[in-house]
Amino acid sequence: MLSAAQTISIVVFVAVMALVVSEKIHRALAALLGAVVLLVIGIIDFNAGMESIDFNTLGVLCGMMMFVAIVKESGLFEFVAIKSAKACKGNPWLIMIAFAVITAVFSAFLDNVTTVLLIGPMTIMLCKTLDINPVPFLLVEIMMSNVGGTATLIGDPPNIMIGSEAGLSFAQFIMVNAPIVVVIMVVLLVIFRFMYGRHLSVDEKNRLNIMELSAEDAIIDKALFHKSVVMIVLVAIAFMLHGVFNLETSVIALTAAAVIILISGRDIEVAIEGIEWGTIGFFLGLFMVVGGMEHTGVIEMLGNAIVDATGGNVVLMMIVILWASAILSSILDNIPFIATMIPIIMVMEASGIDVYPLWWALSLGACLGGNGTLVGASANVVLSGIANKEGYNITFMSFTKVAFPLMLVTVALSTIYLLILF
């Protein structure tokens, strides 16, 4: 029998999720309202609310958002896009492969929303030059942004949250997630070849137009361009070695932001404007809403229910978490699901269960599940919005018809991989 406090914490969580899905109000406002309700009613006090917030995750997000805000002023991302298109000799299929790989790699080391914001407009520009429909390219990039983000600790917010709470290092994410990510990328590109290959043909004149573009002209600030390249390499190395030096990932991200602001000579306001405050507010509120369920014992009950349902079998739990994460993350934002599941897995760990495989099932399921529908991940919404603004309509159903079956393929591949690995 649920207590009054437990019932209220569940009702508040469900209400927040309903508001997020309905998009009637901004998701940050929905989460913050939920947190306020819990505080005012007294389900949690202020100190308990603060303790439930993962400030390391928030630090990584803020730091990387500020870092990218400065780096993009150099023209680095546009330079890479034009260089890639010219290296492909204007061949649209090779450009699709190149942009898919670029999107995945950038998403592995930068926020995937930022990546699609930068890659999307450039893709549309190149497709207009080639006089072909950019929608297939954009669909590939949406999926690759989520797949690429799966590979590293900092590529996708769920991984940041999991790494922070589970104590998993950057190197561990590379060793465990990156191999299956590479396999998934190859499989998806083969499928896309069959789906779109025959439609990717261009006139020779349009192909020559691509060859006339100058990558060097895309560089806005040459000094900042060179500094950005060096800093990106150093930041990647620092993330990979953070466990060796016992540094929190947030310290590295915020240090990177401070250094790039200092050496770029840019006003700090430019960097601060790059922070998506709505996303930060959403995290703050959500951590407290989930903290309310944790504080009242609801999370522990859910953890025990999963253990009982699977008979404590770790392999069965791993598969259940992988598929549940993928399906739910495809129709809900994966961040609330991750915020709910992390304390559940920690409760399992406290009861003596080996939860190491479960963290990877949660990571792969939540990140890859984001590809299932248009609302599954923030990058999906952002890039479809860019396309719609340019007159290329990507609707919920048109995206889902393509993406959901492919998402199921990627999760099936992940299931086989995890069974082999663990």
Side-chain angles (χ1 to χ4, degrees):
M1 186 71 178
L2 294 173
S3 67
Q6 289 173 330
T7 302
I8 292 170
S9 68
I10 293 171
V11 169
V12 169
F13 176 78
V14 172
V16 168
M17 286 309 308
L19 287 172
V20 169
V21 172
S22 71
E23 297 183 334
K24 296 292 185 185
I25 62 174
H26 195 285
R27 64 179 185 171
L29 179 58
L32 291 170
L33 283 173
V36 168
V37 168
L38 292 176
L39 290 168
V40 170
I41 294 175
I43 301 301
I44 55 173
D45 59 26
F46 181 78
N47 290 333
M50 288 296 103
E51 288 174 5
S52 65
I53 296 171
D54 186 348
F55 286 101
N56 185 60
T57 294
L58 297 181
V60 172
L61 288 172
C62 286
M64 292 310 293
M65 286 174 181
M66 289 192 289
F67 180 80
V68 170
I70 298 298
V71 170
K72 73 178 182 181
E73 296 232 320
S74 69
L76 173 62
F77 300 104
E78 290 85 352
F79 173 86
V80 172
I82 294 173
K83 274 286 188 185
S84 301
K86 293 184 73 171
C88 297
K89 307 295 184 185
N91 182 311
W93 168 240
L94 294 180
I95 290 174
M96 179 179 278
I97 294 176
F99 273 51
V101 174
I102 291 169
T103 303
V105 172
F106 278 10
S107 294
F109 295 97
L110 304 172
D111 176 69
N112 53 8
V113 172
T114 303
T115 300
V116 298
L117 278 169
L118 296 165
I119 296 293
M122 183 58 63
T123 301
I124 293 171
M125 183 274 287
L126 289 174
C127 287
K128 283 181 177 178
T129 305
L130 289 168
D131 194 26
I132 55 175
N133 184 6
V135 170
F137 291 79
L138 298 175
L139 291 176
V140 172
E141 287 165 11
I142 287 174
M143 299 204 73
M144 288 301 179
S145 72
N146 293 315
V147 171
T150 309
T152 69
L153 172 66
I154 58 170
D156 216 5
N159 284 358
I160 298 173
M161 296 165 70
I162 291 168
S164 178
E165 290 295 335
L168 300 173
S169 69
F170 191 96
Q172 284 176 296
F173 271 91
I174 291 286
M175 287 188 292
V176 177
N177 278 6
I180 187 60
V181 163
V182 172
V183 172
I184 287 170
M185 284 176 62
V186 172
V187 170
L188 287 180
L189 285 171
V190 170
I191 293 172
F192 281 126
R193 174 64 174 173
F194 283 106
M195 290 173 63
Y196 301 121
R198 64 183 181 275
H199 303 299
L200 299 177
S201 58
V202 298
D203 292 337
E204 187 62 28
K205 182 184 75 172
N206 294 329
R207 188 178 295 196
L208 290 174
N209 289 337
I210 287 288
M211 300 308 294
E212 290 173 3
L213 292 173
S214 172
E216 284 68 26
D217 288 346
I219 301 173
I220 302 166
D221 184 329
K222 190 164 285 189
L224 180 57
F225 176 89
H226 294 301
K227 292 173 184 176
S228 297
V229 171
V230 173
M231 281 298 298
I232 288 172
V233 172
L234 291 176
V235 169
I237 293 171
F239 274 120
M240 285 187 274
L241 298 178
H242 80 95
V244 176
F245 297 109
N246 199 27
L247 285 174
E248 293 286 358
T249 48
S250 58
V251 173
I252 294 170
L254 292 168
T255 300
V259 171
I260 197 72
I261 293 168
L262 182 65
I263 65 176
S264 70
R266 294 298 195 276
D267 195 310
I268 192 172
E269 296 295 331
V270 174
I272 292 174
E273 286 171 6
I275 298 176
E276 297 170 30
W277 291 110
T279 300
I280 301 301
F282 176 61
F283 270 103
L284 278 170
L286 186 69
F287 281 135
M288 294 182 75
V289 170
V290 174
M293 292 199 296
E294 186 174 10
H295 187 70
T296 57
V298 172
I299 297 296
E300 186 174 358
M301 289 172 59
L302 287 171
N304 291 334
I306 292 174
V307 173
D308 292 340
T310 56
N313 185 310
V314 175
V315 173
L316 187 56
M317 276 192 282
M318 180 179 73
I319 295 171
V320 168
I321 288 174
L322 173 67
W323 281 93
S325 302
I327 300 299
L328 289 173
S329 293
S330 70
I331 54 176
L332 301 174
D333 193 302
N334 54 19
I335 295 168
F337 181 78
I338 289 291
T340 307
M341 284 301 299
I342 283 174
I344 290 176
I345 293 178
M346 294 184 81
V347 166
M348 294 179 187
E349 185 176 34
S351 68
I353 293 173
D354 176 19
V355 299
Y356 185 72
L358 306 186
W359 291 123
W360 303 112
L362 183 62
S363 168
L364 289 169
C367 294
L368 297 175
N371 274 329
T373 70
L374 201 57
V375 298
S378 301
N380 309 12
V381 178
V382 170
L383 197 47
S384 64
I386 293 171
N388 294 340
K389 190 176 179 181
E390 292 289 333
Y392 303 100
N393 202 23
I394 299 178
T395 65
F396 182 90
M397 286 311 300
S398 68
F399 179 84
T400 304
K401 281 193 296 185
V402 173
F404 196 82
L406 293 180
M407 182 274 288
L408 295 178
V409 170
T410 65
V411 178
L413 289 171
S414 299
T415 303
I416 296 168
Y417 175 70
L418 288 176
L419 288 173
I420 293 170
L421 200 61
F422 298 112

